[in-house]
Amino acid sequence: MLNDRERKTLHDLEQQLVQDDPGFQRRFETRARELGRPGLVTVLGLVLLVVVVLFLLLAGAVGGALVLAAAGGWAWWMMRGRSRPASGGRPPESGPGDGPG
């Protein structure tokens, strides 16, 4: 977590970058939005995963289907968590109980 001084320094740096190159922010926001959408390969991978899990269930391999479904769910969760852009490019506010002490 960033402390208040670091947060202010980061905010000042972001403002300076936007003033120096207004197109920078637009390019960055466009890229962040693109990363937030699942691509064709991701959707096809998910469909393939569902088909294989269903096939394993029909074949009676319940354990294999559960393991594959869990691994696919974990991979999907990790990918979605990393691809989401931060809210407005700002770090989350710290709440009570955050930090040392």
Side-chain angles (χ1 to χ4, degrees), residues 3-5 9 14 22 25 30 32-33 43 45 47 49 51-52 57 59 63 66-67 70 84 87 90 93 97-98:
N3 63 33
D4 290 339
R5 184 181 56 81
T9 301
E14 289 173 346
Q25 184 179 15
T30 300
R33 263 191 318 261
V43 173
V47 169
L49 175 73
V51 168
V52 171
L57 286 173
L66 288 175
V67 168
R84 283 199 183 119
S87 58
R90 292 186 209 113
E93 296 294 325
D98 289 344

Side-chain angles (χ1 to χ4, degrees), residues 17-92:
L17 282 171
V18 169
Q19 288 175 0
D20 290 347
D21 185 7
F24 171 78
Q25 184 179 15
R26 269 193 311 276
R27 288 189 306 270
F28 183 76
E29 288 173 350
T30 300
R31 180 69 179 144
R33 263 191 318 261
E34 289 171 356
L35 287 174
R37 285 184 267 165
L40 179 63
V41 173
T42 303
V43 173
L44 288 176
L46 183 61
V47 169
L48 180 63
L49 175 73
V50 170
V51 168
V52 171
V53 167
L54 289 175
F55 177 75
L56 287 173
L57 286 173
L58 290 174
V62 176
L66 288 175
V67 168
L68 187 60
W74 176 80
W76 178 262
W77 177 71
M78 291 297 291
M79 183 190 64
R80 295 297 295 164
R82 290 184 183 177
S83 66
R84 283 199 183 119
S87 58
R90 292 186 209 113

